[in-house]
C-alpha cells in the first residue's frame, strides 16, 4: 500500500508540473454540449513541532468532471476526485458520483460523495496550506493527546453509496437532503442542510445549518483523530456563518455530536471555531481558533479538551502559485510551517 501512496502522490505532482504553466482555459474543453474540466492543487512544505526538527508535509488533490448538456435546462455529469487525505486512509478516491442538474428542479447526485449538509456548510477563514477545514495536516505530525473533533462542519463520510438532492436557490435559501447506506460501517444515514445567502450590500453574509441521523454506526469514523464509534445511533447538528466586509472575512462554525449507548472509547462531543482573514493586493493573513471537547455526554470518563490556534500568511505570486507560512499551537505543542502551493 505504501507503493500505491507514493504512486498516487507522484502522479498528482506530475499533473501539477504539467498544468501550472498553462492557463486555466487549457484545462477545460467545451464544444457546447460536451465538456471536460480538470482542477487540482499541490502543496509542499515543512512543519516544525516545538520549533525543533523540520518534517516534510505534503498535500494534493485532483478532480475531473465530464458534463453533457442534454437540453437547455438539463445537464448530466460524472465526477471523480482523489487526494492525499483519501490515500492516507488507503482509499482510491475522495469521491466518485454522477449527477443530473435541472435549472428549475435542482440537482441530484448519486455515488460516493459528501453529504448535503457538508456541501451546503461554511468553513473557517484560513489562508495557510494546512487544510484546517478538512482533516488538518498538522495532526499528521503532532499526535493529539486524546480524541479530537477537528472538523466543525457536519459530515457522515464518503464511503457509503449516497443519494443527494439540493434545490436551486429559492430566494436567498437553498435546501438539501441526503440518504446513504450500503456500507459496512452503518445501516443508513439521513442528512439535511440549508444555506441562506445575502450577497448584496456592503456586508455580505452566508448562514448554514445541518442535521444528521445515523443508524447503528459499526466501526464508523470520519474524524481521523477520534476512535471508531460503535453505538445504537448517532445524531449531529451544525451551524455556521461567514460575514464579508470589503477585504475582511469573519467566520464562526459549530458541530455537536451525540452517540446513543456507545461501546468502547467515546468519540462524540462538540467542536466550535472562529476565524478572521484580511486580503490586500497579493497578500492575505488569517487567525483561526478551534476548540474540541470530546466525551461530554459520558460522565464515567473524563472528557478531553483541545485548543488549536493558527496564524497564517499567504503571498500570491501568480494566478497559480502561492507561498504561505503558519504559526500555531495544538495539543499543547507549538509549531511553525512554511510551504508552496500550486493550483490549476
Amino acid at each position: 500500500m505504501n507503493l500505491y501512496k507514493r504512486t498516487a502522490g507522484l502522479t498528482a505532482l506530475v499533473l501539477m508540473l504539467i498544468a501550472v504553466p498553462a492557463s486555466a482555459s487549457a484545462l477545460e474543453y467545451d464544444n457546447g454540449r460536451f465538456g471536460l474540466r480538470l482542477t487540482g492543487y499541490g502543496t509542499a512544505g515543512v512543519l516544525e513541532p516545538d520549533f525543533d526538527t523540520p518534517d516534510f508535509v505534503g498535500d494534493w488533490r485532483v478532480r475531473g468532471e465530464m458534463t453533457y448538456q442534454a437540453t437547455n435546462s438539463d445537464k448530466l455529469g460524472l465526477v471523480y476526485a482523489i487526494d492525499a487525505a483519501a490515500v492516507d486512509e488507503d482509499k482510491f478516491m475522495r469521491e466518485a458520483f454522477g449527477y443530473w442538474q435541472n435549472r428549475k428542479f435542482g440537482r441530484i447526485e448519486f455515488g460516493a460523495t459528501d453529504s448535503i449538509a457538508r456541501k451546503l456548510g461554511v468553513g473557517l477563514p484560513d489562508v495557510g496550506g494546512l487544510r484546517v477545514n478538512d482533516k488538518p495536516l498538522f495532526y499528521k505530525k503532532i499526535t493529539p493527546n486524546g480524541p479530537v473533533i477537528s472538523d466543525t462542519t457536519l459530515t457522515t463520510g464518503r464511503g457509503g453509496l449516497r443519494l443527494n438532492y439540493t434545490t436551486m436557490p429559492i430566494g436567498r435559501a437553498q435546501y438539501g437532503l441526503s440518504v446513504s447506506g450500503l456500507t459496512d460501517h452503518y445501516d443508513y444515514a439521513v442528512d439535511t442542510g440549508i444555506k441562506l445567502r445575502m450577497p448584496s450590500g456592503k456586508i455580505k453574509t452566508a448562514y448554514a445549518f445541518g442535521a444528521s441521523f445515523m443508524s447503528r454506526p459499526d466501526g464508523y469514523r470520519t474524524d481521523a483523530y477520534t476512535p471508531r464509534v460503535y453505538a445504537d445511533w448517532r445524531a449531529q447538528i451544525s451551524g455556521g456563518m461567514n460575514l464579508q466586509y470589503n477585504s475582511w472575512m469573519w467566520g464562526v462554525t459549530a458541530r455537536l455530536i451525540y452517540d446513543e449507548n456507545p461501546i468502547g472509547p467515546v468519540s462524540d462531543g462538540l467542536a466550535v471555531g472562529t476565524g478572521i482573514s484580511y486580503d490586500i493586493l497579493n497578500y492575505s493573513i488569517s487567525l483561526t481558533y478551534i476548540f474540541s471537547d470530546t466525551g461530554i455526554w459520558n460522565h464515567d470518563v473524563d472528557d478531553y479538551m483541545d485548543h488549536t490556534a493558527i496564524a497564517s500568511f499567504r503571498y500570491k505570486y501568480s494566478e497559480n502559485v502561492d507561498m504561505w507560512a503558519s504559526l500555531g499551537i495544538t495539543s499543547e505543542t507549538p509549531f511553525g510551517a512554511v510551504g508552496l502551493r500550486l493550483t490549476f
Side-chain angles (χ1 to χ4, degrees), residues 43 51 57 206:
T43 296
F51 303 104
V57 291

Side-chain angles (χ1 to χ4, degrees), residues 17-95:
L17 296 176
I18 294 174
V20 167
S23 64
S25 60
L27 299 173
E28 295 186 43
Y29 171 77
D30 188 350
N31 70 355
R33 291 261 182 207
F34 179 76
L36 292 171
R37 189 164 186 255
L38 185 68
T39 58
Y41 68 83
T43 296
V46 295
L47 186 146
E48 293 188 355
D50 289 321
F51 303 104
D52 188 9
T53 304
D55 201 354
F56 173 80
V57 291
D59 186 30
W60 54 270
R61 179 177 299 171
V62 178
R63 185 181 190 273
E65 181 174 3
M66 181 172 61
T67 61
Y68 176 70
Q69 193 73 43
T71 69
N72 290 336
S73 299
D74 298 287
K75 179 189 288 187
L76 303 175
L78 294 173
V79 174
Y80 174 82
I82 186 169
D83 62 7
V87 173
D88 286 343
E89 298 175 359
D90 296 333
K91 297 177 181 178
F92 64 91
M93 65 181 180
R94 177 183 174 90
E95 56 181 355

Side-chain angles (χ1 to χ4, degrees), residues 54-179:
D55 201 354
F56 173 80
V57 291
D59 186 30
W60 54 270
R61 179 177 299 171
V62 178
R63 185 181 190 273
E65 181 174 3
M66 181 172 61
T67 61
Y68 176 70
Q69 193 73 43
T71 69
N72 290 336
S73 299
D74 298 287
K75 179 189 288 187
L76 303 175
L78 294 173
V79 174
Y80 174 82
I82 186 169
D83 62 7
V87 173
D88 286 343
E89 298 175 359
D90 296 333
K91 297 177 181 178
F92 64 91
M93 65 181 180
R94 177 183 174 90
E95 56 181 355
F97 66 93
Y99 68 83
W100 167 55
Q101 183 170 304
N102 180 275
R103 290 183 180 178
K104 295 182 179 179
F105 181 74
R107 177 171 167 133
I108 293 177
E109 300 174 341
F110 183 70
T113 186
D114 283 308
S115 72
I116 205 65
R118 184 174 183 86
K119 291 192 174 189
L120 292 179
V122 295
L124 296 172
D126 175 70
V127 303
L130 294 176
R131 208 169 61 203
V132 167
N133 289 298
D134 185 10
K135 297 181 180 179
L137 281 173
F138 42 79
Y139 279 124
K140 292 180 65 175
K141 306 300 180 180
I142 305 172
T143 303
N145 296 326
V148 174
I149 304 169
S150 62
D151 196 329
T152 57
T153 305
L154 189 156
T155 178
T156 51
R158 295 178 290 270
L161 193 61
R162 183 182 302 278
L163 179 66
N164 281 346
Y165 169 67
T166 182
T167 68
M168 298 300 287
I170 303 172
R172 295 177 175 178
Q174 192 170 13
Y175 306 89
L177 176 69
S178 286
V179 179

